[in-house]
Amino acid sequence: MSDAPHQDPDLLDKVTNLAKRRGFIFQSADIYGGFRSTYDYGPLGANMLRNVKAAWWQVMVQQRMDVVGIDAAILGPPAVWAASGHLATFTDPLVDCRKCKERWREDKINGVCPNCGSKEFTEARAFNLMFKTQAGPVEGEGATAYLRPETAQGMFTNFANVLATSRKKPPFGIAQVGKSFRNEITPGNFVFRTREFEQMEMEFFVPPAEAEQWYRYWIDLRYNWYVNLGIDQEFLRLHEHAKADLSHYSLGTTDVEFLYPWGWDELEGIANRGDYDLTQHSNASGVRLEYFDQTENERYTPYVIEPAAGATRAMMAFLLSAYHEDEVEGETRVVLRLDWRLAPYQVAVLPLSKKPELEGVSQKVLEALAPYFACDYDVTQSIGKRYRRQDEIGTPFCITVDFDTLEDGAVTVRDRDTTEQTRVKIEDLLNDLRQRTGQK
Ligand code: ATP
């Protein structure tokens, strides 16, 4: 048993099992034996993933007057991906192990086959990661479409539309949350790397002279987003890429890295992309993607700062860092110490017994709280077992309705982390919970 989750070699297995057992994340097409590297989010996972995305949207869009959101199409024509450079260069180096024939991404294996230990590989070939499909009933080049491998291009192709309709001017951003698809050579580590995943990206358009300053600003803000939502700084670090390792379009890239059970790895990337994207799309489409600054009487192509995060990958990091085993009343308990904003359920209402009077009051409590908090309701098993179930799925507050409630109109509020129990009048409950969650 350990209270230092990252020193537990079984952490990944424990979280993967918990995720399946409790309905966070299932293997997709499970009843057919599963479909490799695709996952379905169950009742708890769907809630939590929505919460991760909502927490991002709140800070990145809702609370800022200089960022607007869009929701662009997933299917796109080849022209977009030719201009963005994805058709030519969105590739990973694919090698085959000469001994066991497994396929690997050359840059991830340090010259040794992770399957059989052989050091003999075929020459690396560039493997394009985009999923290609046909749009419409006709086959052939004219019908080719691609599933987007990132959400970012939707922001660039809509730059002029958003500029014209939103009345924003640089510095301003366009944000989007949605599915992306990459035909990864070696998906794995649960939902860390999958072929279908969700991204949370924002393109921040700035006057070129301000790019460096905004790049630093967004690195700082994005790092602190994770800290603010409960990831211990011990498990986070920034990794700035050396100039020699940068992609051809990047003027600077810094990753927010997380200490996964297998070591430090990327959680999010923040890049200064210069004017690469807008210039590429201007040249290819013939539409000038520029900004005309009336006060300076000058036309320019804005530079772009891009914080690009994975929603599904972030959810996994939040689960890993929230997983703890501690001791309560001489028993080991598993507890997910999730921030209340991310927890699948924020409140569980638990009538002490199935007596109709208690269930009746419990329904009233639910009706009062459910518009403001995600609530679970559980009447099965002993109250101790029910507390453990809620601890294990990260519910911050359990509300127990007992026989005294019928006399004094008060319920017991139990705190997940301290296990402390407090009596609170039902009419004060909403305010009490708002206070506990810092909303008042
Ligand atoms: P890598 O080099 O590890 O393949 P990348 O640097 O190409 O990843 P980006 O293109 O910067 O990744 O994507 C931005 C973010 O999207 C990543 O930081 C990650 O959180 C998420 N992401 C990218 N690919 C995947 C994937 N296959 N599965 C889950 N999340 C992903």
Short mmCIF file of all heavy atoms in Angstrom, two decimals, residues 281-336:
data_model
loop_
_atom_site.label_atom_id
_atom_site.label_comp_id
_atom_site.label_asym_id
_atom_site.label_seq_id
_atom_site.Cartn_x
_atom_site.Cartn_y
_atom_site.Cartn_z
N HIS A 281 -2.32 28.50 -46.03
CA HIS A 281 -3.71 28.48 -46.51
C HIS A 281 -4.02 29.68 -47.41
O HIS A 281 -4.86 29.56 -48.31
CB HIS A 281 -4.68 28.42 -45.32
CG HIS A 281 -4.75 27.07 -44.69
ND1 HIS A 281 -5.18 25.95 -45.36
CD2 HIS A 281 -4.41 26.64 -43.45
CE1 HIS A 281 -5.13 24.89 -44.56
NE2 HIS A 281 -4.66 25.28 -43.39
N SER A 282 -3.37 30.81 -47.19
CA SER A 282 -3.55 31.96 -48.10
C SER A 282 -3.06 31.59 -49.49
O SER A 282 -3.76 31.78 -50.49
CB SER A 282 -2.75 33.18 -47.62
OG SER A 282 -3.29 33.69 -46.45
N ASN A 283 -1.85 31.01 -49.52
CA ASN A 283 -1.26 30.68 -50.82
C ASN A 283 -2.08 29.62 -51.55
O ASN A 283 -2.30 29.71 -52.76
CB ASN A 283 0.18 30.18 -50.64
CG ASN A 283 1.09 31.30 -50.18
OD1 ASN A 283 0.74 32.49 -50.30
ND2 ASN A 283 2.24 30.95 -49.62
N ALA A 284 -2.54 28.62 -50.80
CA ALA A 284 -3.22 27.50 -51.45
C ALA A 284 -4.66 27.84 -51.85
O ALA A 284 -5.16 27.38 -52.87
CB ALA A 284 -3.22 26.28 -50.53
N SER A 285 -5.33 28.67 -51.04
CA SER A 285 -6.76 28.94 -51.31
C SER A 285 -6.97 30.19 -52.15
O SER A 285 -8.03 30.39 -52.74
CB SER A 285 -7.52 29.10 -49.99
OG SER A 285 -7.09 30.29 -49.34
N GLY A 286 -5.98 31.05 -52.15
CA GLY A 286 -6.13 32.33 -52.85
C GLY A 286 -6.89 33.36 -52.03
O GLY A 286 -7.12 34.48 -52.48
N VAL A 287 -7.30 32.99 -50.82
CA VAL A 287 -7.98 33.95 -49.93
C VAL A 287 -6.93 34.51 -48.97
O VAL A 287 -6.20 33.75 -48.33
CB VAL A 287 -9.10 33.25 -49.11
CG1 VAL A 287 -9.76 34.21 -48.14
CG2 VAL A 287 -10.13 32.63 -50.04
N ARG A 288 -6.84 35.85 -48.91
CA ARG A 288 -5.80 36.44 -48.06
C ARG A 288 -6.21 36.33 -46.59
O ARG A 288 -7.21 36.92 -46.18
CB ARG A 288 -5.60 37.91 -48.42
CG ARG A 288 -4.90 38.07 -49.75
CD ARG A 288 -4.91 39.51 -50.17
NE ARG A 288 -3.74 40.21 -49.69
CZ ARG A 288 -3.49 41.49 -49.99
NH1 ARG A 288 -4.34 42.18 -50.73
NH2 ARG A 288 -2.41 42.08 -49.55
N LEU A 289 -5.44 35.58 -45.84
CA LEU A 289 -5.75 35.41 -44.41
C LEU A 289 -4.83 36.35 -43.62
O LEU A 289 -3.79 35.94 -43.10
CB LEU A 289 -5.58 33.95 -44.01
CG LEU A 289 -6.46 32.97 -44.81
CD1 LEU A 289 -6.17 31.52 -44.42
CD2 LEU A 289 -7.95 33.27 -44.62
N GLU A 290 -5.25 37.60 -43.58
CA GLU A 290 -4.42 38.64 -42.95
C GLU A 290 -5.32 39.49 -42.06
O GLU A 290 -6.53 39.36 -42.07
CB GLU A 290 -3.83 39.55 -44.02
CG GLU A 290 -2.91 38.84 -44.98
CD GLU A 290 -2.58 39.71 -46.20
OE1 GLU A 290 -3.41 40.56 -46.58
OE2 GLU A 290 -1.50 39.52 -46.75
N TYR A 291 -4.67 40.38 -41.36
CA TYR A 291 -5.44 41.33 -40.56
C TYR A 291 -5.03 42.75 -40.98
O TYR A 291 -3.84 43.04 -41.13
CB TYR A 291 -5.17 41.12 -39.06
CG TYR A 291 -5.86 42.16 -38.22
CD1 TYR A 291 -7.25 42.15 -38.09
CD2 TYR A 291 -5.14 43.18 -37.58
CE1 TYR A 291 -7.91 43.12 -37.35
CE2 TYR A 291 -5.80 44.15 -36.83
CZ TYR A 291 -7.18 44.11 -36.73
OH TYR A 291 -7.83 45.07 -36.00
N PHE A 292 -6.05 43.58 -41.19
CA PHE A 292 -5.74 44.97 -41.53
C PHE A 292 -5.93 45.84 -40.29
O PHE A 292 -7.04 45.99 -39.77
CB PHE A 292 -6.65 45.47 -42.67
CG PHE A 292 -6.37 46.89 -43.03
CD1 PHE A 292 -5.11 47.25 -43.56
CD2 PHE A 292 -7.31 47.89 -42.82
CE1 PHE A 292 -4.83 48.58 -43.89
CE2 PHE A 292 -7.03 49.22 -43.15
CZ PHE A 292 -5.78 49.56 -43.67
N ASP A 293 -4.82 46.35 -39.79
CA ASP A 293 -4.84 47.18 -38.59
C ASP A 293 -5.10 48.63 -39.01
O ASP A 293 -4.23 49.29 -39.57
CB ASP A 293 -3.49 47.05 -37.87
CG ASP A 293 -3.48 47.80 -36.56
OD1 ASP A 293 -4.33 48.70 -36.36
OD2 ASP A 293 -2.61 47.47 -35.72
N GLN A 294 -6.35 49.11 -38.74
CA GLN A 294 -6.73 50.44 -39.23
C GLN A 294 -5.95 51.56 -38.57
O GLN A 294 -5.59 52.55 -39.20
CB GLN A 294 -8.23 50.66 -39.02
CG GLN A 294 -9.01 50.04 -40.16
CD GLN A 294 -10.50 50.03 -39.94
OE1 GLN A 294 -10.96 50.11 -38.81
NE2 GLN A 294 -11.24 49.90 -41.01
N THR A 295 -5.65 51.41 -37.27
CA THR A 295 -4.94 52.50 -36.58
C THR A 295 -3.52 52.67 -37.13
O THR A 295 -3.03 53.77 -37.29
CB THR A 295 -4.89 52.27 -35.06
OG1 THR A 295 -4.48 50.93 -34.83
CG2 THR A 295 -6.22 52.53 -34.40
N GLU A 296 -2.87 51.54 -37.45
CA GLU A 296 -1.51 51.62 -37.99
C GLU A 296 -1.53 51.69 -39.53
O GLU A 296 -0.47 51.84 -40.14
CB GLU A 296 -0.70 50.38 -37.57
CG GLU A 296 -0.54 50.21 -36.07
CD GLU A 296 0.37 51.26 -35.47
OE1 GLU A 296 1.34 51.67 -36.14
OE2 GLU A 296 0.10 51.69 -34.32
N ASN A 297 -2.71 51.52 -40.11
CA ASN A 297 -2.86 51.45 -41.56
C ASN A 297 -1.91 50.42 -42.17
O ASN A 297 -1.17 50.70 -43.13
CB ASN A 297 -2.63 52.85 -42.17
CG ASN A 297 -3.20 52.91 -43.59
OD1 ASN A 297 -4.11 52.17 -43.93
ND2 ASN A 297 -2.63 53.77 -44.42
N GLU A 298 -1.94 49.24 -41.57
CA GLU A 298 -0.97 48.22 -42.01
C GLU A 298 -1.63 46.85 -42.03
O GLU A 298 -2.44 46.52 -41.19
CB GLU A 298 0.24 48.30 -41.07
CG GLU A 298 0.81 47.01 -40.64
CD GLU A 298 1.86 47.17 -39.55
OE1 GLU A 298 2.98 47.61 -39.85
OE2 GLU A 298 1.55 46.82 -38.39
N ARG A 299 -1.26 46.07 -43.06
CA ARG A 299 -1.80 44.72 -43.23
C ARG A 299 -0.71 43.72 -42.85
O ARG A 299 0.43 43.87 -43.24
CB ARG A 299 -2.17 44.57 -44.72
CG ARG A 299 -2.99 43.37 -45.07
CD ARG A 299 -3.31 43.38 -46.57
NE ARG A 299 -4.33 44.37 -46.90
CZ ARG A 299 -5.64 44.19 -46.68
NH1 ARG A 299 -6.07 43.07 -46.13
NH2 ARG A 299 -6.50 45.13 -46.99
N TYR A 300 -1.07 42.72 -42.05
CA TYR A 300 -0.05 41.72 -41.70
C TYR A 300 -0.67 40.36 -41.48
O TYR A 300 -1.89 40.24 -41.26
CB TYR A 300 0.75 42.16 -40.46
CG TYR A 300 -0.04 42.19 -39.16
CD1 TYR A 300 -0.12 41.07 -38.34
CD2 TYR A 300 -0.69 43.35 -38.74
CE1 TYR A 300 -0.83 41.09 -37.15
CE2 TYR A 300 -1.40 43.40 -37.55
CZ TYR A 300 -1.46 42.26 -36.76
OH TYR A 300 -2.17 42.29 -35.58
N THR A 301 0.16 39.33 -41.56
CA THR A 301 -0.28 37.96 -41.24
C THR A 301 0.05 37.70 -39.77
O THR A 301 1.23 37.72 -39.40
CB THR A 301 0.46 36.94 -42.13
OG1 THR A 301 0.26 37.31 -43.50
CG2 THR A 301 -0.07 35.54 -41.90
N PRO A 302 -0.97 37.47 -38.96
CA PRO A 302 -0.68 37.25 -37.54
C PRO A 302 0.15 35.98 -37.31
O PRO A 302 0.09 35.05 -38.10
CB PRO A 302 -2.08 37.06 -36.93
CG PRO A 302 -3.02 37.67 -37.89
CD PRO A 302 -2.41 37.49 -39.25
N TYR A 303 0.91 35.98 -36.24
CA TYR A 303 1.58 34.77 -35.77
C TYR A 303 0.59 34.02 -34.89
O TYR A 303 -0.36 34.61 -34.38
CB TYR A 303 2.83 35.12 -34.94
CG TYR A 303 4.07 35.37 -35.77
CD1 TYR A 303 3.99 35.75 -37.10
CD2 TYR A 303 5.34 35.21 -35.20
CE1 TYR A 303 5.14 35.98 -37.84
CE2 TYR A 303 6.49 35.44 -35.95
CZ TYR A 303 6.38 35.83 -37.27
OH TYR A 303 7.51 36.05 -38.00
N VAL A 304 0.86 32.73 -34.74
CA VAL A 304 -0.06 31.88 -33.98
C VAL A 304 0.64 31.20 -32.81
O VAL A 304 1.68 30.58 -32.99
CB VAL A 304 -0.65 30.79 -34.90
CG1 VAL A 304 -1.43 29.77 -34.09
CG2 VAL A 304 -1.55 31.41 -35.95
N ILE A 305 0.04 31.33 -31.64
CA ILE A 305 0.49 30.54 -30.48
C ILE A 305 -0.58 29.49 -30.25
O ILE A 305 -1.76 29.81 -30.14
CB ILE A 305 0.64 31.41 -29.20
CG1 ILE A 305 1.44 32.68 -29.49
CG2 ILE A 305 1.26 30.58 -28.07
CD1 ILE A 305 2.82 32.47 -30.04
N GLU A 306 -0.14 28.24 -30.18
CA GLU A 306 -1.10 27.13 -30.09
C GLU A 306 -0.88 26.27 -28.85
O GLU A 306 0.08 25.51 -28.79
CB GLU A 306 -0.97 26.23 -31.32
CG GLU A 306 -1.84 24.99 -31.25
CD GLU A 306 -1.48 23.96 -32.30
OE1 GLU A 306 -0.46 23.26 -32.12
OE2 GLU A 306 -2.20 23.87 -33.30
N PRO A 307 -1.77 26.35 -27.86
CA PRO A 307 -1.78 25.32 -26.81
C PRO A 307 -2.66 24.16 -27.27
O PRO A 307 -3.85 24.34 -27.51
CB PRO A 307 -2.41 26.02 -25.60
CG PRO A 307 -2.70 27.44 -26.02
CD PRO A 307 -2.68 27.47 -27.53
N ALA A 308 -2.05 22.97 -27.44
CA ALA A 308 -2.77 21.80 -27.96
C ALA A 308 -2.75 20.68 -26.93
O ALA A 308 -1.70 20.11 -26.64
CB ALA A 308 -2.11 21.32 -29.26
N ALA A 309 -3.94 20.41 -26.37
CA ALA A 309 -4.03 19.40 -25.32
C ALA A 309 -4.90 18.25 -25.77
O ALA A 309 -5.73 18.39 -26.67
CB ALA A 309 -4.61 20.02 -24.05
N GLY A 310 -4.76 17.11 -25.12
CA GLY A 310 -5.65 15.97 -25.37
C GLY A 310 -6.64 15.87 -24.22
O GLY A 310 -6.22 15.86 -23.06
N ALA A 311 -7.93 15.78 -24.55
CA ALA A 311 -8.93 15.68 -23.48
C ALA A 311 -8.90 14.29 -22.85
O ALA A 311 -8.97 14.14 -21.62
CB ALA A 311 -10.32 15.98 -24.02
N THR A 312 -8.81 13.26 -23.72
CA THR A 312 -8.79 11.90 -23.20
C THR A 312 -7.48 11.64 -22.45
O THR A 312 -7.47 11.00 -21.41
CB THR A 312 -9.00 10.90 -24.36
OG1 THR A 312 -8.29 11.37 -25.52
CG2 THR A 312 -10.47 10.82 -24.72
N ARG A 313 -6.37 12.17 -22.98
CA ARG A 313 -5.10 11.98 -22.29
C ARG A 313 -5.09 12.73 -20.96
O ARG A 313 -4.56 12.24 -19.97
CB ARG A 313 -3.94 12.43 -23.19
CG ARG A 313 -2.60 12.02 -22.64
CD ARG A 313 -1.46 12.45 -23.52
NE ARG A 313 -1.36 11.67 -24.75
CZ ARG A 313 -0.34 11.81 -25.62
NH1 ARG A 313 0.61 12.69 -25.38
NH2 ARG A 313 -0.31 11.08 -26.72
N ALA A 314 -5.66 13.92 -20.94
CA ALA A 314 -5.72 14.69 -19.69
C ALA A 314 -6.57 13.94 -18.66
O ALA A 314 -6.21 13.86 -17.48
CB ALA A 314 -6.29 16.09 -19.94
N MET A 315 -7.68 13.36 -19.13
CA MET A 315 -8.53 12.61 -18.20
C MET A 315 -7.74 11.48 -17.56
O MET A 315 -7.84 11.22 -16.36
CB MET A 315 -9.76 12.06 -18.94
CG MET A 315 -10.60 11.16 -18.06
SD MET A 315 -12.19 10.81 -18.83
CE MET A 315 -12.58 9.26 -18.01
N MET A 316 -6.92 10.81 -18.36
CA MET A 316 -6.11 9.72 -17.83
C MET A 316 -5.11 10.23 -16.79
O MET A 316 -4.93 9.62 -15.73
CB MET A 316 -5.36 9.05 -18.98
CG MET A 316 -4.46 7.95 -18.52
SD MET A 316 -3.78 7.11 -19.94
CE MET A 316 -2.58 6.08 -19.11
N ALA A 317 -4.50 11.38 -17.06
CA ALA A 317 -3.54 11.95 -16.10
C ALA A 317 -4.26 12.33 -14.80
O ALA A 317 -3.73 12.11 -13.70
CB ALA A 317 -2.84 13.16 -16.71
N PHE A 318 -5.46 12.88 -14.93
CA PHE A 318 -6.21 13.23 -13.71
C PHE A 318 -6.56 11.97 -12.91
O PHE A 318 -6.47 11.96 -11.69
CB PHE A 318 -7.50 13.99 -14.07
CG PHE A 318 -7.26 15.42 -14.49
CD1 PHE A 318 -7.70 15.89 -15.72
CD2 PHE A 318 -6.60 16.31 -13.64
CE1 PHE A 318 -7.47 17.21 -16.12
CE2 PHE A 318 -6.37 17.63 -14.02
CZ PHE A 318 -6.81 18.08 -15.26
N LEU A 319 -6.92 10.89 -13.61
CA LEU A 319 -7.24 9.64 -12.91
C LEU A 319 -5.99 9.08 -12.22
O LEU A 319 -6.04 8.69 -11.05
CB LEU A 319 -7.77 8.59 -13.89
CG LEU A 319 -9.23 8.73 -14.33
CD1 LEU A 319 -9.57 7.71 -15.41
CD2 LEU A 319 -10.20 8.58 -13.15
N LEU A 320 -4.87 9.07 -12.93
CA LEU A 320 -3.64 8.52 -12.35
C LEU A 320 -3.21 9.31 -11.13
O LEU A 320 -2.81 8.75 -10.12
CB LEU A 320 -2.51 8.54 -13.39
CG LEU A 320 -2.61 7.52 -14.53
CD1 LEU A 320 -1.62 7.86 -15.64
CD2 LEU A 320 -2.33 6.10 -14.00
N SER A 321 -3.31 10.63 -11.23
CA SER A 321 -2.79 11.41 -10.09
C SER A 321 -3.79 11.43 -8.94
O SER A 321 -3.43 11.71 -7.81
CB SER A 321 -2.40 12.83 -10.52
OG SER A 321 -3.54 13.58 -10.75
N ALA A 322 -5.06 11.10 -9.21
CA ALA A 322 -6.06 11.11 -8.13
C ALA A 322 -6.09 9.79 -7.37
O ALA A 322 -6.62 9.72 -6.26
CB ALA A 322 -7.44 11.38 -8.72
N TYR A 323 -5.53 8.73 -7.97
CA TYR A 323 -5.64 7.40 -7.36
C TYR A 323 -4.78 7.30 -6.10
O TYR A 323 -3.58 7.52 -6.14
CB TYR A 323 -5.21 6.33 -8.36
CG TYR A 323 -5.40 4.93 -7.86
CD1 TYR A 323 -6.54 4.20 -8.18
CD2 TYR A 323 -4.45 4.32 -7.03
CE1 TYR A 323 -6.73 2.91 -7.69
CE2 TYR A 323 -4.63 3.04 -6.54
CZ TYR A 323 -5.77 2.34 -6.88
OH TYR A 323 -5.96 1.06 -6.39
N HIS A 324 -5.42 6.97 -5.01
CA HIS A 324 -4.69 6.78 -3.74
C HIS A 324 -5.25 5.58 -3.01
O HIS A 324 -6.43 5.25 -3.15
CB HIS A 324 -4.84 8.01 -2.84
CG HIS A 324 -4.06 9.19 -3.31
ND1 HIS A 324 -4.50 10.02 -4.31
CD2 HIS A 324 -2.86 9.67 -2.94
CE1 HIS A 324 -3.60 10.96 -4.54
NE2 HIS A 324 -2.59 10.77 -3.71
N GLU A 325 -4.36 4.98 -2.23
CA GLU A 325 -4.83 3.96 -1.29
C GLU A 325 -4.44 4.47 0.08
O GLU A 325 -3.29 4.83 0.30
CB GLU A 325 -4.13 2.62 -1.58
CG GLU A 325 -4.58 2.02 -2.91
CD GLU A 325 -3.75 0.81 -3.33
OE1 GLU A 325 -2.89 0.37 -2.55
OE2 GLU A 325 -3.97 0.33 -4.45
N ASP A 326 -5.40 4.56 0.98
CA ASP A 326 -5.07 4.96 2.34
C ASP A 326 -5.79 4.05 3.32
O ASP A 326 -6.38 3.05 2.94
CB ASP A 326 -5.34 6.46 2.57
CG ASP A 326 -6.81 6.83 2.41
OD1 ASP A 326 -7.65 5.92 2.30
OD2 ASP A 326 -7.12 8.04 2.39
N GLU A 327 -5.71 4.40 4.58
CA GLU A 327 -6.31 3.54 5.59
C GLU A 327 -7.40 4.31 6.32
O GLU A 327 -7.17 5.42 6.77
CB GLU A 327 -5.23 3.08 6.56
CG GLU A 327 -5.60 1.79 7.25
CD GLU A 327 -4.43 1.20 8.02
OE1 GLU A 327 -3.47 0.70 7.37
OE2 GLU A 327 -4.46 1.28 9.25
N VAL A 328 -8.59 3.71 6.39
CA VAL A 328 -9.68 4.32 7.14
C VAL A 328 -10.25 3.26 8.07
O VAL A 328 -10.61 2.17 7.62
CB VAL A 328 -10.78 4.84 6.18
CG1 VAL A 328 -12.00 5.30 6.97
CG2 VAL A 328 -10.26 5.99 5.35
N GLU A 329 -10.27 3.58 9.33
CA GLU A 329 -10.76 2.64 10.36
C GLU A 329 -10.13 1.26 10.20
O GLU A 329 -10.82 0.23 10.19
CB GLU A 329 -12.29 2.55 10.32
CG GLU A 329 -12.96 3.81 10.83
CD GLU A 329 -14.40 3.99 10.31
OE1 GLU A 329 -14.96 3.00 9.80
OE2 GLU A 329 -14.92 5.11 10.43
N GLY A 330 -8.82 1.24 10.06
CA GLY A 330 -8.08 -0.02 10.00
C GLY A 330 -8.23 -0.78 8.69
O GLY A 330 -7.72 -1.89 8.55
N GLU A 331 -8.93 -0.21 7.72
CA GLU A 331 -9.12 -0.90 6.43
C GLU A 331 -8.50 -0.09 5.30
O GLU A 331 -8.57 1.13 5.32
CB GLU A 331 -10.62 -0.98 6.13
CG GLU A 331 -11.28 -2.28 6.51
CD GLU A 331 -12.75 -2.26 6.10
OE1 GLU A 331 -13.03 -1.96 4.92
OE2 GLU A 331 -13.59 -2.50 6.98
N THR A 332 -7.96 -0.80 4.33
CA THR A 332 -7.44 -0.10 3.16
C THR A 332 -8.61 0.38 2.31
O THR A 332 -9.57 -0.36 2.11
CB THR A 332 -6.61 -1.07 2.29
OG1 THR A 332 -5.57 -1.57 3.10
CG2 THR A 332 -6.03 -0.38 1.08
N ARG A 333 -8.53 1.61 1.88
CA ARG A 333 -9.57 2.04 0.94
C ARG A 333 -8.90 2.63 -0.30
O ARG A 333 -7.81 3.21 -0.22
CB ARG A 333 -10.53 3.06 1.57
CG ARG A 333 -9.94 4.44 1.70
CD ARG A 333 -10.97 5.53 1.87
NE ARG A 333 -10.24 6.81 2.04
CZ ARG A 333 -10.79 8.00 2.03
NH1 ARG A 333 -12.09 8.13 1.87
NH2 ARG A 333 -10.05 9.09 2.19
N VAL A 334 -9.57 2.48 -1.42
CA VAL A 334 -9.14 3.13 -2.65
C VAL A 334 -9.94 4.40 -2.76
O VAL A 334 -11.16 4.39 -2.62
CB VAL A 334 -9.40 2.22 -3.86
CG1 VAL A 334 -9.15 2.97 -5.16
CG2 VAL A 334 -8.52 0.98 -3.77
N VAL A 335 -9.26 5.50 -2.98
CA VAL A 335 -9.96 6.77 -3.11
C VAL A 335 -9.41 7.55 -4.30
O VAL A 335 -8.21 7.63 -4.51
CB VAL A 335 -9.89 7.58 -1.78
CG1 VAL A 335 -8.47 7.77 -1.32
CG2 VAL A 335 -10.60 8.92 -1.91
N LEU A 336 -10.30 8.07 -5.12
CA LEU A 336 -9.89 8.97 -6.20
C LEU A 336 -10.05 10.39 -5.67
O LEU A 336 -11.18 10.84 -5.48
CB LEU A 336 -10.78 8.80 -7.45
CG LEU A 336 -10.63 7.56 -8.31
CD1 LEU A 336 -11.48 7.71 -9.59
CD2 LEU A 336 -9.18 7.31 -8.71
#
